[in-house]
Amino acid sequence: MNEPVVVQGLTKYFYDESRGEVRAVQEVDFACRAGEIFGLLGANGAGKTTTLRMLATILAPTAGTASLLGHDVVREPEEARRHLGFYSSSTALYPRLTARETIEFFARINRYPAAQIAQRVGELIERFGIASYADVRVDRLSTGMKQKVSIARTVAHDPPVLIFDEPTVGLDVLNALELQERIREFRAQGKTIVFSTHIMSEAEKLCDRIAIIHGGRILACDTLDGLRRATGMRYLEDIFVCCVKGRE
Amino acid sequence: MFDLRDIGVLYRRELRCALRERTIIVNSIVLQIVLYPALLWLIYSGISFVQGQTEGFTSRVALAGLPEEHRFLREELEKDERLALTSSSDPESDLRAGSLDLLAEFEPAPGAPAEAGNFKVRLAYDESRDRSRLALERMTEIVARYRDRFVLQAGERLGLEARQLQPIRVAMRNTASGRQMGEFILGRMLPVFLIIMLAVGCMYPAIDSTAGEREKSTWETTMTFAVPRANIVAAKYLYVSTMAACAGILNLAAMLLTVKSVLAPILGEQVGRLTFAIPLAAVPLIVLMDILLAMFVAAGMMLLASFARNFREGQSMVSPFYVAVFLPVIFLQAPGMELTPVTAALPVVNVALIFRDAISGVYRWPLIGLALAVEAASVALLILLAAAVLRHEDFVIGSCGGSLGRFLKQRIIGAGARREKAA
């Protein structure tokens, strides 16, 4: 398989004091192609974040495998992370660094070639329209400004794979639309994008293929047209409900 | 496993962030340099002022049964401006009420006196009142002076010389030089402040780099770096240890530079005769002990604080360790406390005692070696414990609630018991 992201039988069980064993993710399989936005669509608690955290090597799978550009997330976690940019609402920026320092630091720590870091930082500042506040500390920036810096730091080391875990949570409409536009740009650059959301319209507009995840399992995975054909439904909301009800 | 380049990048980031945080600057740098010497000066000035005020008090003294033969003693007491002789119908009650500071009761001396009117004097005072204790000091001094003169005069009348009356004389002479006295005072003060200030300087960075990251939601960001987790932990540990060691050294330097001014209010003119300096040869050992102590305190505080989900939790989790670190300081002031095989084996205490010895130019190398080994072993033990904790991913992602105690009980001791049961 030549796909940049390959997930096979990925499973994660947790032990929770009050709930006992929690099967957060069960035998999830998917693969993502270069230049594709792959959507994980599911309600809250469906297993999206756990799946993406395993892919980002933050969590170790209980069973199954996942690889990023051929690097196994368990055996070669550092190599896997080197080829990955991870963005989520829970990955905040360091408040006491400036925007410029933040981008530079992420490029450096993720091993972007040292000689090209200054140029890369300048490019990103220009491309994301950060120049006017590049030397302002992050804790003094507005939410929209922080979001731009966050995206810039995610791609600072120019990773071929990007994970966006519910990236628009907490953003206003304009900022959410801008973020979607950026994600499309990354696709145009040939990057592989794994995108999780619980917002149907977002998945509908943005994703080339959508995996519907519920109860830790993938119930369906196809293009929007493919899902429509398989379920006979037009709208993603109906498709989602059909899949979930069919499962239950 | 450890990549110095990665650790360097992470360490610089931690340090840069820390030096932009007002609370860290205040706790780890400003307090050490300015506040504590200034605070001590204020405290000592206050003590000196209160002592001066107390000295200004007139002691109210009642006399009972002073023999007529000793009327000169009464005259002497009356002449002394520090005393006011009063009469009291119920001196015991007046003493209790605080309207009288001292009652001197004269009784005939037992046995066969050589001189008429020999007496025994019983001084009644209230130990719980400064003013009454001061009256006792003054009265004792006057009566002793009078007694010496009286004995001499009585001797003369009997044809005896002073040397015959006092065949054994005690004369005191302090052989310590100003430098030695300075070293003694520094040895009492500096180790105590080093420990306290180092712990103060370590506390905020330790919490900020662990619980603080969780509170600011940057913990997961940090976990996504393309470097081994051990490097992240090493950089954080290095940063907290640096802040702690710097806090200790900065305080030491500030105290050394200001000690004369700080002590001037209580030592008065005597301070001019003292030399406060650390032997140059002791500096490397003191710096080494400071670094080891910083590493020990940093490891302990980070380990505890890393269980907290926010800064407030971090403070409450670290506080017991903070108290445990400076508890030995209390015992350091006990007379006879010195570096022995037992004290050399006690972390924190050993550092303070080696430091105290080094100031006086004393180096007990075998015990210093033992202390270094104990400190290094303590640091290693804490790091091993941290490594055991880091193996649990719910801890790494910050979803693990509880404390170190609960973690050890459930995951280490409990896991062992469960394995035994399963077997």
Side-chain angles (χ1 to χ4, degrees), chain A residues 12-14 17 49 53 56-61 78 81-82 84 86 88-98 101 104-112 117 137 153 165, chain B residues 3 5-7 9-10 12-14 16-18 20-21 24 204 208 213 216-229 232 239 393-394 396-397 401 406 410-411:
Chain A
K12 183 70 187 178
Y13 296 165
F14 288 115
E17 272 178 47
T49 297
R53 279 180 169 174
T57 78
I58 294 168
L59 293 177
E78 289 87 33
R81 287 200 290 267
R82 201 155 290 159
L84 172 72
F86 184 77
S88 85
S89 52
S90 57
T91 49
L93 297 168
Y94 300 106
R96 293 174 218 132
L97 292 183
T98 65
E101 287 165 349
E104 189 192 328
F105 168 72
F106 276 89
R108 205 173 289 281
I109 199 64
N110 291 319
R111 292 193 177 270
Y112 193 75
I117 287 177
R137 275 171 50 163
R153 73 93 188 141
D165 183 16
Chain B
D3 184 318
R5 178 208 162 270
D6 290 343
I7 293 174
V9 173
L10 292 162
R12 282 197 297 278
R13 200 271 302 169
E14 294 279 358
R16 180 179 278 176
C17 289
R20 288 177 183 170
E21 172 64 40
I24 292 181
Y204 197 95
D208 186 58
E213 282 231 27
K216 287 176 283 203
S217 297
T218 54
W219 185 262
E220 196 166 298
T221 313
T222 303
M223 291 298 114
T224 62
F225 297 159
V227 298
R229 300 267 152 77
I232 296 172
Y239 146 68
E393 68 178 19
D394 57 339
V396 172
I397 61 165
R406 191 172 165 195
Q410 288 181 348
R411 307 291 174 88

Side-chain angles (χ1 to χ4, degrees), chain B residues 10 32 62 80-81 83 87 113 210 255 303 308 316 330 333 419:
Chain B
L10 292 162
Q32 321 297 328
D80 196 312
E81 289 177 352
L83 303 182
S87 57
T210 49
M255 292 299 291
L303 184 59
S316 62
I330 299 165
Q333 303 306 324
R419 271 197 300 273

